[in-house]
Amino acid sequence: MQQTIKQNIFEKALQRPTVFKDKNLITPHHIPQELPFRDKQIEEIMHNLAHTLHGAKADNIFVYGVTGCGKTCVTKHVMQQLIEFAKAKNVPVDGCYINCRTHSSKYRVLIKAVQEFYPSENFMGYSATFVHEKLINYASEGREVVIVLDEIDMVKDVDDLVYELTRANDEIGKGSISIIGISNNLRFRDNLDPRTKSSLCEHELVFPPYNAEELYEILRQRTEVAFKPKAVQNSAISLSAAFAAKESGDARTAVMLLLRAGELADKKGSEKVSDDEVMQAKCRVEEELIFNMIDTMPKHQKLVLYTIAKLSMEKKPMKTLAGVERKGVLFSGEVYDEYCGVAKGFGESTVSTRWYRQYISELELYGLITTTASGKGMKGQTRFIKLGYEPRRIFESVEKEFK
Ligand code: ADP
Ligand code: MG
Protein backbone atom coordinates (compact mmCIF):
# COMPACT_ATOMS: atom_id res chain seq x y z
CA MET A 1 0.00 0.00 0.00
CA GLN A 2 1.34 3.37 -0.91
CA GLN A 3 1.58 5.90 1.84
CA THR A 4 0.89 9.54 0.99
CA ILE A 5 3.02 11.92 2.98
CA LYS A 6 0.80 14.75 3.98
CA GLN A 7 2.22 18.19 4.62
CA ASN A 8 1.84 19.34 8.18
CA ILE A 9 -0.95 21.93 8.33
CA PHE A 10 1.36 24.44 10.04
CA GLU A 11 3.70 24.42 7.07
CA LYS A 12 1.21 26.58 5.22
CA ALA A 13 1.03 29.10 8.05
CA LEU A 14 4.79 29.34 8.14
CA GLN A 15 5.07 29.89 4.42
CA ARG A 16 2.55 32.72 4.31
CA PRO A 17 4.15 35.97 3.27
CA THR A 18 4.40 38.57 5.99
CA VAL A 19 5.28 42.25 6.32
CA PHE A 20 7.06 41.60 9.63
CA LYS A 21 10.74 40.92 10.11
CA ASP A 22 10.44 40.44 13.87
CA LYS A 23 6.94 41.01 15.15
CA ASN A 24 7.97 40.82 18.82
CA LEU A 25 9.78 44.11 18.46
CA ILE A 26 6.57 46.00 17.75
CA THR A 27 4.55 44.76 20.72
CA PRO A 28 4.13 47.14 23.67
CA HIS A 29 5.87 44.59 25.94
CA HIS A 30 9.15 44.98 24.17
CA ILE A 31 11.60 47.39 25.78
CA PRO A 32 13.75 48.90 23.05
CA GLN A 33 17.40 49.60 23.81
CA GLU A 34 17.05 53.05 22.30
CA LEU A 35 14.51 55.33 23.93
CA PRO A 36 14.54 58.59 22.01
CA PHE A 37 13.31 61.82 23.65
CA ARG A 38 13.85 60.45 27.12
CA ASP A 39 17.57 61.22 27.60
CA LYS A 40 16.85 63.73 30.33
CA GLN A 41 14.65 61.36 32.31
CA ILE A 42 17.06 58.44 31.88
CA GLU A 43 19.91 60.63 33.04
CA GLU A 44 18.03 61.85 36.09
CA ILE A 45 17.03 58.39 37.27
CA MET A 46 20.49 57.08 36.50
CA HIS A 47 22.24 59.82 38.53
CA ASN A 48 20.02 59.18 41.48
CA LEU A 49 20.46 55.41 41.38
CA ALA A 50 24.22 55.75 40.95
CA HIS A 51 24.44 56.49 44.69
CA THR A 52 23.71 52.83 45.33
CA LEU A 53 26.91 51.88 43.50
CA HIS A 54 28.82 53.90 46.10
CA GLY A 55 27.12 52.02 48.90
CA ALA A 56 24.62 54.77 49.70
CA LYS A 57 20.85 54.90 49.65
CA ALA A 58 19.27 56.43 46.55
CA ASP A 59 16.53 59.03 47.00
CA ASN A 60 13.02 57.77 46.56
CA ILE A 61 11.68 58.94 43.22
CA PHE A 62 8.15 59.56 42.14
CA VAL A 63 7.66 59.34 38.38
CA TYR A 64 4.45 60.51 36.79
CA GLY A 65 2.89 61.34 33.45
CA VAL A 66 0.05 60.23 31.19
CA THR A 67 -0.28 56.63 29.94
CA GLY A 68 2.17 55.63 27.23
CA CYS A 69 4.73 58.37 27.77
CA GLY A 70 7.49 55.87 28.46
CA LYS A 71 7.59 55.73 32.28
CA THR A 72 7.60 51.96 32.53
CA CYS A 73 10.05 51.26 29.74
CA VAL A 74 12.47 54.01 30.79
CA THR A 75 12.49 52.87 34.41
CA LYS A 76 12.87 49.20 33.46
CA HIS A 77 15.68 50.10 31.09
CA VAL A 78 17.62 52.05 33.72
CA MET A 79 17.07 49.31 36.30
CA GLN A 80 18.27 46.65 33.88
CA GLN A 81 21.41 48.66 33.23
CA LEU A 82 22.00 49.24 36.93
CA ILE A 83 21.68 45.60 37.87
CA GLU A 84 23.75 44.43 34.93
CA PHE A 85 26.48 46.91 35.82
CA ALA A 86 26.41 46.07 39.53
CA LYS A 87 26.72 42.37 38.72
CA ALA A 88 29.61 42.90 36.35
CA LYS A 89 31.45 45.04 38.93
CA ASN A 90 30.47 42.81 41.80
CA VAL A 91 28.80 45.62 43.75
CA PRO A 92 26.03 44.61 46.18
CA VAL A 93 23.14 46.42 44.48
CA ASP A 94 19.89 44.71 43.65
CA GLY A 95 16.36 45.63 42.71
CA CYS A 96 13.02 44.40 41.55
CA TYR A 97 10.13 45.60 39.47
CA ILE A 98 6.59 45.18 40.78
CA ASN A 99 3.44 45.93 38.86
CA CYS A 100 0.98 47.06 41.49
CA ARG A 101 -1.97 46.43 39.21
CA THR A 102 -1.42 42.75 39.87
CA HIS A 103 0.06 43.17 43.36
CA SER A 104 -2.34 45.69 44.78
CA SER A 105 -1.78 45.61 48.54
CA LYS A 106 1.15 46.15 50.88
CA TYR A 107 1.27 42.46 51.74
CA ARG A 108 1.22 41.36 48.11
CA VAL A 109 3.92 43.85 47.16
CA LEU A 110 6.19 42.67 49.96
CA ILE A 111 5.58 39.02 49.11
CA LYS A 112 6.40 39.71 45.49
CA ALA A 113 9.60 41.53 46.47
CA VAL A 114 10.95 38.77 48.72
CA GLN A 115 9.94 36.20 46.15
CA GLU A 116 12.16 38.01 43.64
CA PHE A 117 15.06 38.16 46.07
CA TYR A 118 14.72 34.57 47.28
CA PRO A 119 13.47 32.81 44.15
CA SER A 120 13.87 29.29 45.51
CA GLU A 121 11.64 29.88 48.55
CA ASN A 122 7.87 30.18 48.66
CA PHE A 123 6.40 32.85 50.91
CA MET A 124 2.71 32.52 50.10
CA GLY A 125 0.71 32.42 53.30
CA TYR A 126 3.52 33.67 55.55
CA SER A 127 2.71 36.44 58.00
CA ALA A 128 3.30 40.07 57.07
CA THR A 129 5.87 40.35 59.87
CA PHE A 130 7.83 37.39 58.59
CA VAL A 131 7.90 38.78 55.07
CA HIS A 132 8.93 42.19 56.36
CA GLU A 133 11.81 40.63 58.33
CA LYS A 134 12.92 38.67 55.31
CA LEU A 135 13.13 41.81 53.21
CA ILE A 136 15.06 43.63 55.90
CA ASN A 137 17.48 40.72 56.19
CA TYR A 138 18.10 40.81 52.48
CA ALA A 139 19.09 44.48 52.56
CA SER A 140 20.96 44.07 55.85
CA GLU A 141 23.42 41.74 54.18
CA GLY A 142 24.91 44.98 52.88
CA ARG A 143 22.78 45.44 49.78
CA GLU A 144 21.44 48.66 48.36
CA VAL A 145 18.01 47.58 47.17
CA VAL A 146 15.80 49.51 44.75
CA ILE A 147 12.13 48.55 44.53
CA VAL A 148 10.15 49.82 41.55
CA LEU A 149 6.44 50.14 42.29
CA ASP A 150 4.77 50.65 38.94
CA GLU A 151 1.19 51.96 39.00
CA ILE A 152 1.65 52.57 42.70
CA ASP A 153 -1.75 54.28 42.87
CA MET A 154 -3.31 50.81 42.62
CA VAL A 155 -2.03 49.81 46.07
CA LYS A 156 -4.96 49.92 48.47
CA ASP A 157 -2.93 50.67 51.57
CA VAL A 158 -0.26 52.70 49.84
CA ASP A 159 0.42 54.93 52.86
CA ASP A 160 1.25 51.88 54.97
CA LEU A 161 3.43 50.42 52.25
CA VAL A 162 5.52 53.56 51.74
CA TYR A 163 5.81 54.06 55.49
CA GLU A 164 6.96 50.50 56.05
CA LEU A 165 9.52 50.54 53.27
CA THR A 166 10.87 53.92 54.33
CA ARG A 167 11.06 53.02 58.00
CA ALA A 168 12.75 49.73 57.18
CA ASN A 169 15.90 51.76 56.63
CA ASP A 170 16.06 52.49 60.36
CA GLU A 171 16.38 48.76 61.02
CA ILE A 172 18.93 48.08 58.32
CA GLY A 173 22.55 48.60 59.30
CA LYS A 174 24.69 48.52 56.19
CA GLY A 175 22.44 48.54 53.14
CA SER A 176 19.22 50.31 52.21
CA ILE A 177 15.86 50.13 50.50
CA SER A 178 14.77 52.87 48.14
CA ILE A 179 11.62 53.20 46.10
CA ILE A 180 10.76 54.33 42.61
CA GLY A 181 7.01 54.91 42.48
CA ILE A 182 5.35 55.32 39.09
CA SER A 183 1.84 56.58 38.36
CA ASN A 184 -0.30 57.52 35.36
CA ASN A 185 -2.72 59.16 37.70
CA LEU A 186 -1.78 62.80 37.93
CA ARG A 187 -4.02 63.44 40.90
CA PHE A 188 -2.68 60.57 42.97
CA ARG A 189 0.20 62.58 44.39
CA ASP A 190 -2.03 65.34 45.69
CA ASN A 191 -4.28 62.87 47.50
CA LEU A 192 -1.45 61.22 49.43
CA ASP A 193 -1.06 61.50 53.15
CA PRO A 194 1.46 64.37 53.68
CA ARG A 195 3.95 62.05 55.36
CA THR A 196 3.78 59.53 52.52
CA LYS A 197 4.14 62.33 50.03
CA SER A 198 7.29 63.69 51.57
CA SER A 199 8.85 60.20 51.79
CA LEU A 200 7.90 59.03 48.32
CA CYS A 201 8.46 62.28 46.47
CA GLU A 202 12.00 63.06 47.65
CA HIS A 203 12.65 63.44 44.00
CA GLU A 204 9.95 63.99 41.39
CA LEU A 205 10.14 63.37 37.72
CA VAL A 206 7.48 64.32 35.18
CA PHE A 207 7.29 62.60 31.82
CA PRO A 208 5.63 64.86 29.27
CA PRO A 209 3.41 63.31 26.58
CA TYR A 210 4.98 62.78 23.17
CA ASN A 211 3.95 65.04 20.30
CA ALA A 212 3.22 63.78 16.78
CA GLU A 213 6.79 64.36 15.51
CA GLU A 214 8.28 62.46 18.42
CA LEU A 215 5.85 59.61 17.96
CA TYR A 216 6.72 59.54 14.27
CA GLU A 217 10.40 59.16 15.08
CA ILE A 218 9.74 56.46 17.72
CA LEU A 219 7.62 54.53 15.22
CA ARG A 220 10.10 55.00 12.40
CA GLN A 221 12.90 53.49 14.48
CA ARG A 222 10.68 50.64 15.54
CA THR A 223 9.49 49.98 11.99
CA GLU A 224 13.06 49.51 10.85
CA VAL A 225 13.66 46.61 13.18
CA ALA A 226 10.22 45.04 13.28
CA PHE A 227 9.11 45.22 9.64
CA LYS A 228 10.71 44.16 6.39
CA PRO A 229 12.38 46.96 4.44
CA LYS A 230 9.88 49.30 2.76
CA ALA A 231 6.93 47.28 4.08
CA VAL A 232 5.44 50.26 5.90
CA GLN A 233 4.59 53.40 3.99
CA ASN A 234 5.75 56.66 5.52
CA SER A 235 2.24 58.05 5.41
CA ALA A 236 1.04 55.07 7.49
CA ILE A 237 3.64 55.90 10.13
CA SER A 238 2.58 59.57 10.12
CA LEU A 239 -1.05 58.62 10.43
CA SER A 240 -0.41 56.30 13.38
CA ALA A 241 1.65 59.02 15.05
CA ALA A 242 -1.08 61.59 14.45
CA PHE A 243 -3.81 59.36 15.88
CA ALA A 244 -1.75 58.55 18.95
CA ALA A 245 -0.76 62.19 19.46
CA LYS A 246 -4.43 63.04 19.57
CA GLU A 247 -4.91 60.30 22.16
CA SER A 248 -2.79 62.28 24.63
CA GLY A 249 0.60 61.42 23.14
CA ASP A 250 0.49 57.75 23.96
CA ALA A 251 3.32 55.69 22.44
CA ARG A 252 1.60 52.44 23.35
CA THR A 253 -1.37 53.31 21.13
CA ALA A 254 1.05 54.27 18.37
CA VAL A 255 2.94 50.98 18.58
CA MET A 256 -0.27 48.95 18.77
CA LEU A 257 -1.68 50.71 15.71
CA LEU A 258 1.26 49.67 13.57
CA LEU A 259 1.23 46.15 14.96
CA ARG A 260 -2.45 45.63 14.18
CA ALA A 261 -2.11 47.39 10.81
CA GLY A 262 0.70 44.96 9.95
CA GLU A 263 -1.45 42.01 10.93
CA LEU A 264 -4.26 43.30 8.75
CA ALA A 265 -1.88 43.61 5.80
CA ASP A 266 -0.76 40.01 6.35
CA LYS A 267 -4.33 38.83 6.48
CA LYS A 268 -5.12 40.53 3.20
CA GLY A 269 -1.96 39.13 1.66
CA SER A 270 -0.73 42.65 1.01
CA GLU A 271 3.01 43.34 1.06
CA LYS A 272 2.55 46.89 2.28
CA VAL A 273 1.11 48.59 5.31
CA SER A 274 -0.73 51.67 4.07
CA ASP A 275 -3.07 54.31 5.55
CA ASP A 276 -6.00 51.98 4.93
CA GLU A 277 -4.72 49.34 7.32
CA VAL A 278 -3.95 51.97 9.97
CA MET A 279 -7.49 53.37 9.69
CA GLN A 280 -8.95 49.90 10.03
CA ALA A 281 -6.69 49.12 12.96
CA LYS A 282 -7.73 52.26 14.80
CA CYS A 283 -11.13 51.09 16.04
CA ARG A 284 -9.74 47.74 17.05
CA VAL A 285 -6.84 49.22 18.99
CA GLU A 286 -9.06 51.70 20.81
CA GLU A 287 -11.33 48.90 21.86
CA GLU A 288 -8.47 46.65 22.83
CA LEU A 289 -6.95 49.33 25.05
CA ILE A 290 -10.26 50.05 26.73
CA PHE A 291 -11.00 46.41 27.44
CA ASN A 292 -7.47 45.77 28.64
CA MET A 293 -7.87 48.58 31.07
CA ILE A 294 -11.25 47.36 32.29
CA ASP A 295 -9.80 43.91 32.68
CA THR A 296 -7.16 45.05 35.13
CA MET A 297 -9.38 47.34 37.21
CA PRO A 298 -10.09 46.54 40.86
CA LYS A 299 -13.26 44.47 41.24
CA HIS A 300 -15.45 47.20 42.67
CA GLN A 301 -14.36 49.77 40.15
CA LYS A 302 -15.52 47.32 37.49
CA LEU A 303 -18.83 47.02 39.26
CA VAL A 304 -19.22 50.79 39.38
CA LEU A 305 -18.53 50.98 35.65
CA TYR A 306 -20.92 48.11 35.06
CA THR A 307 -23.61 49.95 37.01
CA ILE A 308 -23.08 53.08 34.92
CA ALA A 309 -23.41 51.01 31.74
CA LYS A 310 -26.52 49.28 33.07
CA LEU A 311 -28.25 52.53 34.05
CA SER A 312 -27.23 54.18 30.78
CA MET A 313 -29.12 51.47 28.92
CA GLU A 314 -32.14 51.36 31.21
CA LYS A 315 -32.76 54.94 32.17
CA LYS A 316 -35.11 57.23 30.29
CA PRO A 317 -33.59 60.52 29.09
CA MET A 318 -33.41 63.04 31.92
CA LYS A 319 -35.11 66.42 31.60
CA THR A 320 -33.45 69.50 33.05
CA LEU A 321 -35.60 72.19 34.69
CA ALA A 322 -35.22 74.15 31.46
CA GLY A 323 -36.90 71.21 29.72
CA VAL A 324 -33.83 70.02 27.78
CA GLU A 325 -33.65 66.23 27.34
CA ARG A 326 -30.32 64.62 28.21
CA LYS A 327 -29.81 61.02 27.23
CA GLY A 328 -27.54 58.73 29.23
CA VAL A 329 -26.93 61.31 31.94
CA LEU A 330 -26.93 59.86 35.45
CA PHE A 331 -26.85 61.27 38.96
CA SER A 332 -23.83 60.29 41.01
CA GLY A 333 -26.09 59.36 43.95
CA GLU A 334 -28.34 57.09 41.93
CA VAL A 335 -25.29 55.31 40.50
CA TYR A 336 -23.98 54.62 44.01
CA ASP A 337 -27.36 53.31 45.21
CA GLU A 338 -27.69 51.08 42.17
CA TYR A 339 -24.08 49.90 42.56
CA CYS A 340 -24.86 48.73 46.11
CA GLY A 341 -27.78 46.70 44.74
CA VAL A 342 -25.68 45.31 41.89
CA ALA A 343 -22.83 44.28 44.19
CA LYS A 344 -25.24 42.52 46.53
CA GLY A 345 -26.84 40.79 43.56
CA PHE A 346 -23.44 39.33 42.68
CA GLY A 347 -22.88 38.31 46.30
CA GLU A 348 -20.20 40.99 46.86
CA SER A 349 -19.78 43.47 49.70
CA THR A 350 -19.85 47.19 48.84
CA VAL A 351 -17.24 49.94 49.11
CA SER A 352 -17.80 53.20 50.98
CA THR A 353 -18.75 56.43 49.21
CA ARG A 354 -15.17 57.64 49.66
CA TRP A 355 -13.88 54.78 47.52
CA TYR A 356 -16.78 55.23 45.16
CA ARG A 357 -15.78 58.84 44.52
CA GLN A 358 -12.17 57.79 44.02
CA TYR A 359 -13.25 55.18 41.44
CA ILE A 360 -15.41 57.70 39.64
CA SER A 361 -12.58 60.19 39.41
CA GLU A 362 -10.27 57.49 38.04
CA LEU A 363 -12.85 56.36 35.48
CA GLU A 364 -12.98 59.94 34.31
CA LEU A 365 -9.22 60.13 34.15
CA TYR A 366 -9.17 57.00 31.97
CA GLY A 367 -11.61 58.73 29.63
CA LEU A 368 -14.34 56.14 30.20
CA ILE A 369 -16.83 58.62 31.66
CA THR A 370 -17.28 62.37 31.88
CA THR A 371 -18.64 64.09 34.93
CA THR A 372 -20.00 67.59 35.45
CA ALA A 373 -21.22 69.46 38.50
CA SER A 374 -24.96 70.00 38.34
CA GLY A 375 -24.63 73.71 39.07
CA LYS A 376 -27.83 75.69 38.83
CA GLY A 377 -30.94 74.41 37.13
CA MET A 378 -31.10 71.12 39.05
CA LYS A 379 -32.42 70.31 42.48
CA GLY A 380 -29.61 70.44 45.03
CA GLN A 381 -25.93 69.85 44.27
CA THR A 382 -24.85 66.66 42.59
CA ARG A 383 -22.54 65.39 39.89
CA PHE A 384 -23.72 64.11 36.56
CA ILE A 385 -22.06 61.08 35.07
CA LYS A 386 -22.06 60.14 31.41
CA LEU A 387 -20.51 57.06 29.87
CA GLY A 388 -18.10 57.86 27.03
CA TYR A 389 -18.43 54.48 25.40
CA GLU A 390 -21.05 52.10 24.07
CA PRO A 391 -22.80 50.78 27.23
CA ARG A 392 -23.81 47.34 25.95
CA ARG A 393 -20.25 46.21 25.21
CA ILE A 394 -19.05 47.24 28.65
CA PHE A 395 -22.09 45.76 30.32
CA GLU A 396 -21.64 42.42 28.62
CA SER A 397 -17.91 42.19 29.15
CA VAL A 398 -18.15 42.82 32.89
CA GLU A 399 -21.25 40.71 33.36
CA LYS A 400 -19.51 37.66 31.90
CA GLU A 401 -16.97 37.84 34.67
CA PHE A 402 -19.38 38.01 37.59
CA LYS A 403 -22.08 35.64 36.42
P1 ADP B 1 3.85 54.29 30.44
O1 ADP B 1 4.47 53.38 31.44
O2 ADP B 1 4.23 55.72 30.61
O3 ADP B 1 2.37 54.12 30.34
P2 ADP B 1 5.33 52.67 28.61
O4 ADP B 1 6.70 52.84 29.11
O5 ADP B 1 4.64 51.41 28.92
O6 ADP B 1 4.41 53.90 29.01
O7 ADP B 1 5.37 52.88 27.03
C1 ADP B 1 4.43 52.29 26.17
C2 ADP B 1 5.13 51.67 24.99
O8 ADP B 1 5.56 52.71 24.14
C3 ADP B 1 6.37 50.89 25.38
O9 ADP B 1 6.10 49.54 25.37
C4 ADP B 1 7.35 51.18 24.30
O10 ADP B 1 7.27 50.18 23.32
C5 ADP B 1 6.86 52.46 23.67
N1 ADP B 1 7.71 53.61 24.00
C6 ADP B 1 7.46 54.54 24.93
N2 ADP B 1 8.42 55.49 24.93
C7 ADP B 1 9.30 55.15 23.97
C8 ADP B 1 10.49 55.74 23.46
N3 ADP B 1 10.98 56.87 23.95
N4 ADP B 1 11.11 55.10 22.46
C9 ADP B 1 10.65 53.95 21.95
N5 ADP B 1 9.52 53.36 22.37
C10 ADP B 1 8.84 53.94 23.37
MG1 MG C 1 3.42 52.06 32.66
Side-chain angles (χ1 to χ4, degrees), residues 51-57 90-93 135-145 168-177:
H51 293 294
T52 58
L53 297 168
H54 297 116
K57 181 186 172 310
N90 214 0
V91 187
V93 169
L135 184 62
I136 294 210
N137 287 347
Y138 190 71
S140 296
E141 283 164 11
R143 292 189 185 90
E144 311 299 327
V145 173
N169 286 295
D170 299 341
E171 294 175 56
I172 300 166
K174 197 174 165 309
S176 68
I177 297 178

Side-chain angles (χ1 to χ4, degrees), residues 66-73 97 99 150-151 182-184 252:
V66 295
T67 306
C69 63
K71 301 179 299 297
T72 300
C73 60
Y97 168 89
N99 185 340
D150 201 353
E151 313 225 14
I182 307 177
S183 176
N184 301 327
R252 180 187 324 245

Side-chain angles (χ1 to χ4, degrees), residues 27-32 34-38 65-74 150-151 182 184 207 210 218 222 250-252 255:
T27 63
H29 306 290
H30 170 69
I31 304 175
E34 300 275 324
L35 294 162
F37 313 111
R38 285 297 175 248
V66 295
T67 306
C69 63
K71 301 179 299 297
T72 300
C73 60
V74 161
D150 201 353
E151 313 225 14
I182 307 177
N184 301 327
F207 279 51
Y210 296 114
I218 289 173
R222 204 64 86 79
D250 176 353
R252 180 187 324 245
V255 166

